[in-house]
Every structure is written in structure tokens, then in C-alpha cells.
Amino acid sequence: MNAVLPLPVVLPLLGAALSITAFKSRRTQRLISLAVLSATTVISVVLLIQADRFGPVVAQMGGWPAPFGITLIADRLAGIMLAVASVMLVSVLVYAIGQPGAERNHGAFHPVYLVLSAGVMAAFLTGDLFNLFVAFEMMLTASYVLLTLGGGREQIRSGMTYVVISLVASALFLTSLALIYAATGTVNMAQLAVRMAELPDGVRLAFGLLLLVVFGIKAALFPLFSWLPDSYPTAPSPITAVFAGLLTKVGVYAIIRTQTLFLDSSSRPGTLILVVASITMVVGVLGAIAQDDIPRILSFHIVSQIGYMIMGLGLFTVAGLAGAILYIIHHIIVKTTLFLVAGLAEVRAGSGRLAAIGGVARVYPVLGVLFLLPAISLAGLPPFSGFVAKFALVEAGLSVGQYVVVAISILVSLLTLFSMTKIWGGAFWGEPQFTEDAADPEAPPKGLRVMYLSVGFLVAVSLAVALAAGPLYNLSDRTANELLHPDRYVVEVLG
């Protein structure tokens, strides 16, 4: 099993190389990408099952023992993130194949998309901070190309905002690495878990806060979120969907990993994290309510929902972390789905502006259902996955007396419902009103059925998460236990 561990990173990189050689054959590129990402999905699920049953799967690249070589490790958290991310990457790729635009018009789409996939997988699997930095840079390079691929002036401008902020975060990350290495003599995360405990409490806390800022930029935490609503809505819907579903969650993953592995109960900034989480929830949802464009509303909701995940971390309890992990699973699926539905609505109605369109559900009832189900799940209505995840977080907060942050999370959930009804009332209900750019119902764009198939599959996955809430919560609970008691992680890496 250890020999399989590098494959989620290696296969997409090999696929990207093969895809470049087939630059002029879109059909060949599609077959390569679908085969690679499907294989990666199977491997990720196998790794998750292995990590859950038998403990972390570890591979030392080149036979060099830790901490001297490159360590890859898949514990329960990494396995969950790999499995969910792989499913999303395949689904969005299928949608992109169906949608007229960047995928059809640019031979660079598939190689760059596979490099992005490799970066995401590497971030989840790496066992040292330097290679986490490398994974972030792979994602940054690929995501900038995808953001601006075939774009106009506005898309290039938004892409520049994204890349400048990301480069600032990267410079800060590299500085943090230098300081951590100077203080501990290592960047291997398992060894850091041991050596951080030997540092004074103040130094440990400073490193924890520094990494929180670095990864907070990637995750779009308050007050480091302003780049996201400006960057995401200008990109094609499949690109925005994969960014919304996955890239910010890589930042959240890194925050959870470093805060639980490097800091103990005496040095974790729990109160600060809860304050940041609360403000992130409120600012994000208020920003969403103020918008009049579906992609921008959904972009602000990314910020708001990140607050829920960080809230679970800030409790630093098994129940809180379990709720956060379950919420991440739910949010990746639902948010990806909503952005893809927004892309379909724009194709059908000709615009994403609420003031310009209306009655989409009356003319295209299937599209209305595909929006409604994930929308009410995002708002947290029972019996959908969003309700289960939010209920777990609320229960965890009440159990440790964090009544203020729980009250804020419930209020934000109600405001989320309001903003979803705003989209429903403005774009999907009412009298039909489409712009001149709307697709002709009698001659729909080629590939539209493929787009519907991809979205329908993701809606079904979201419903499956709600139906399997019990087993998924139990898995999240075991994962949270493993995170708060990282001895096994350290032993498996260092031996």
C-alpha cells in the first residue's frame, strides 16, 4: 500500500505531460484527464479505507528515512480530503467538457487542470512544511492560468489580484519556514510536533499565529478574504466551482493540521480562532446579502461558511473537530454544485445578475430543483447535509459553554437562508425574463446534457452525505480523535 501513496500526485503530473503531447486532439486530452482522475479517485478511496482501518499510510520517498527525505502520509483527515477532492475534480471536469468555453477552445486547459489536481493532492499528502509550500505554488501557478484562460480585461485584472495576494502569502509562508527551521532544525511535521513542545510557550504560540495568518489568507479568513469575491466570479463556472470547492479548503486543512499537530492545549489560540470564525461568518453572509449577482453571492458565502469550519477547530474538542470535518465534506460538495448550477443558469438565462433574469425554474424546472436542493442544504435546513453538520457544530459549542459563537452561527444560518431565497426569488421564480445572450431552448448548446449529468450526480452525492450522516460523523469523530492525539502520526513517520 505504501507504494501506491505517491500515485495521486504522480498520475496527474504524468497525465499533464501526456496531455501536452496531445495538444491538438481535444478528445485524446479528455480521455487522458478522465482516466487519470478516475484512477486517482479509486486510489484515494482505497487510501481512506486503509488509513481508517489500520492507521496512517506512510511512504518515504527514495528510501530516505524521515526527517531527511520527503515524507508522504495519509491519515484519516488526508484520506477524507483526498477522496472528496478527487470526486469533485472528476465531476467538474465532466461539466467543463460539456460547457462551451475554455476547455474546448484552449489546449492548455487539460494539462493545467491536471497540474492543479496534483497540487491539491500533494498538499493533503505531504508530511513536511516545505513540500506543503511547493504544493501551494503548484496550485497558485495552475490556478492563475485557469483564472485568466481566454479571458478579457476584467478577468485578467481579477486574476492579478488573486496572484498578488497569493504571492504575498507565499512570501510570508517562506519566511515562516525559515524561522521555524532556525528554531527547531527541521520542517518535517512529525518531528516538529516533538520539537515544538520543547520551545517556550510564547514562541510556540507565535509560530502558531504566524501559520494561522499564512493559511488564513489561503482559506479567506477575516480580515484576509477580500481577494476572493473579486477573483472567483470572473472565471468560467467550472473553474470557479473547483476553486470554491477545493482551494480554500486546502487552506482550512493546513490550519487544522498545523494547529492540532504543533500546539498543545496550553498554547492553542482557541479564543482568538473563535473570534475570527465568528467575524468571518458574519462579514461573509452580510457581503452575500448585499450582492445582486449569483456568482458574487456564492463567493461571499464561501467566506461565511469557512467560519463554521474554523469555529469547530477553535473549540479544540473531539466533537468540535468532528463537526468541522463533517462540515468540510458537506461544503466542498454543496458549494461546487451551486457554482455549477449558477453556470447552467447563466447559459439558460443569459446572465447571472438577479435584476436581469427571472423565472428560470418555471421554464426549466429540472434546473430549479438542482439549485433548490443544495441551496437549502447550504442554509442548514433539515434533513440535508448542511443541517447535520451545523447541528454537530452547535451541539459541540453548547457542550463547552460557547453560547455566543453558537448564537452567531445560528443567526448566520438564518441569513444564509435569506440570501438563498433572494437568489430563488430573483432568478428562479417569478415571470420568465431572459437576456439576449440566453441559449435558444429549441437549439440548446452542444454538451448541455453532460453539464446536467455532472450537476445531477453532485446533487445525488450531497443527498447521500445526508443519508450517510451517521457513519460519516463516526468517521469524522475518529479523525478528530486522531488529530487531537497525534502520537500515532508521529510514530508512524519517525518510527
Side-chain angles (χ1 to χ4, degrees), residues 62-324:
W64 287 87
F68 305 106
I70 296 173
T71 299
L72 298 181
I73 177 169
D75 60 353
R76 287 190 180 98
L77 179 61
I80 289 171
M81 300 301 289
L82 282 173
V84 178
S86 299
V87 173
M88 294 305 104
L89 287 166
V90 173
S91 302
V92 172
L93 178 62
V94 171
Y95 181 98
I97 289 172
Q99 185 187 47
E103 189 275 337
R104 296 189 191 179
N105 300 332
H106 298 277
F109 176 88
H110 286 273
V112 176
Y113 189 82
L114 288 172
V115 170
L116 177 74
S117 303
V120 171
M121 300 300 166
F124 295 145
L125 285 174
T126 184
D128 68 84
L129 286 180
F130 180 76
N131 283 293
L132 181 60
F133 169 77
V134 173
F136 274 126
E137 294 311 294
M138 288 171 63
M139 290 187 295
L140 170 62
T141 305
S143 57
Y144 177 66
V145 175
L146 290 172
L147 271 175
T148 57
L149 199 61
R153 183 174 181 179
E154 181 63 22
Q155 198 170 329
I156 299 294
R157 187 197 67 79
S158 298
M160 285 302 298
T161 301
Y162 172 80
V163 78
V164 168
I165 295 298
S166 296
L167 286 174
V168 170
S170 297
L172 188 57
F173 191 5
L174 206 55
T175 303
S176 304
L177 281 177
L179 293 174
I180 290 171
Y181 185 79
T184 63
T186 185
V187 290
N188 181 280
M189 289 197 279
Q191 192 170 45
L192 278 171
V194 176
R195 295 194 177 177
M196 281 282 193
E198 300 168 356
L199 298 176
D201 288 347
V203 175
R204 266 187 296 166
L205 178 60
F207 282 143
L209 293 176
L210 191 56
L211 291 175
L212 181 63
V213 171
V214 170
F215 300 131
I217 297 174
K218 306 287 187 182
L221 284 178
F222 177 88
L224 310 168
F225 68 92
S226 58
W227 58 269
L228 190 152
D230 288 334
S231 302
Y232 283 11
T234 60
S237 53
I239 303 306
T240 306
V242 79
F243 285 12
L246 290 180
L247 295 196
T248 50
K249 309 313 174 301
V250 177
V252 173
Y253 166 85
I255 291 173
I256 292 175
R257 176 69 73 193
T258 54
Q259 295 294 317
T260 56
L261 189 59
F262 298 163
L263 306 178
D264 58 22
S265 56
S266 65
S267 55
R268 290 169 181 156
T271 302
L272 173 64
I273 290 175
L274 288 175
V275 170
V276 170
S278 300
I279 299 174
T280 301
M281 284 189 274
V282 172
V283 170
V285 79
L286 292 179
I289 291 172
Q291 304 306 310
D292 187 40
D293 181 83
I294 297 175
R296 285 190 66 83
I297 292 173
L298 296 177
S299 295
F300 271 100
H301 274 308
I302 299 171
V303 177
S304 178
Q305 304 298 307
I306 293 295
Y308 283 94
M309 304 167 204
I310 301 302
M311 166 189 166
L313 169 66
L315 298 175
F316 283 109
T317 62
V318 171
L321 267 176

Side-chain angles (χ1 to χ4, degrees), residues 460-475:
V461 171
S462 175
L463 295 176
V465 169
L467 291 173
L472 283 175
Y473 181 80
N474 290 335
L475 173 61

